[in-house]
Amino acid sequence: MRESQQLGNHGEDVAAQHLVERGFVLLDRNWRCREGELDIVARDVDGSCVFCEVKTRSTALFGEPSEAVSSVKARRIRLLALRWLDAHPEHRSAALRFDVVSIVRRRGWAPELVHLRGAF
C-alpha cells in the first residue's frame, strides 16, 4: 500500500473514532458507486444524516487539508449523498449535513483534527 493511502486510511480511522466518541453512529465507511466514494456516512445525536469528507495531510505547509474540498468536490459529494440515500431509503427523511474532518498527522506527533460541521 502506498504511503499516501496509508495516511488516508489512518485519517479516516481517526475521524471515525472522533465521531463515535461524540455520539455519532457510523452508517457507512468508504461507500462506493460508479460516480465515486463517500468517506463516512453517520447519524449525529440530533438524528441528522451526516456525509463526512475526510482530508488528511502530513503537513499544513500548503494549507489546511480541508481547503482541498473545492466546490467541484462538494458537488460530487452531494451527488454521492443522493446515490447513497437512493440505496438507503430508510434515511431519506433525516435532515442532511455535509461535514469535513481535516487532519494533519506529523511524524512523532498526535494528529491535529478539526471537525467542520456544515462545511458546505
Side-chain angles (χ1 to χ4, degrees), residues 32-102:
R32 288 179 172 82
C33 68
R34 62 188 167 120
E35 286 95 350
E37 177 184 336
L38 292 169
D39 293 335
I40 297 175
V41 182
R43 187 177 62 244
D44 199 348
V45 294
D46 67 0
S48 298
C49 188
V50 180
F51 298 90
C52 188
E53 178 69 7
V54 180
K55 290 295 182 189
T56 309
R57 302 286 183 265
S58 59
T59 180
L61 286 175
F62 302 103
E64 292 299 316
S66 59
E67 294 176 54
V69 181
S70 65
S71 60
V72 171
K73 179 71 172 175
R75 268 196 307 274
R76 170 168 271 158
I77 293 168
R78 286 187 195 103
L79 171 66
L80 293 170
L82 292 174
R83 297 291 183 258
W84 188 88
L85 289 167
D86 284 344
H88 301 85
E90 66 275 17
H91 297 286
R92 285 186 190 155
S93 63
L96 305 181
R97 194 175 76 223
F98 297 90
D99 292 3
V100 174
V101 174
S102 176

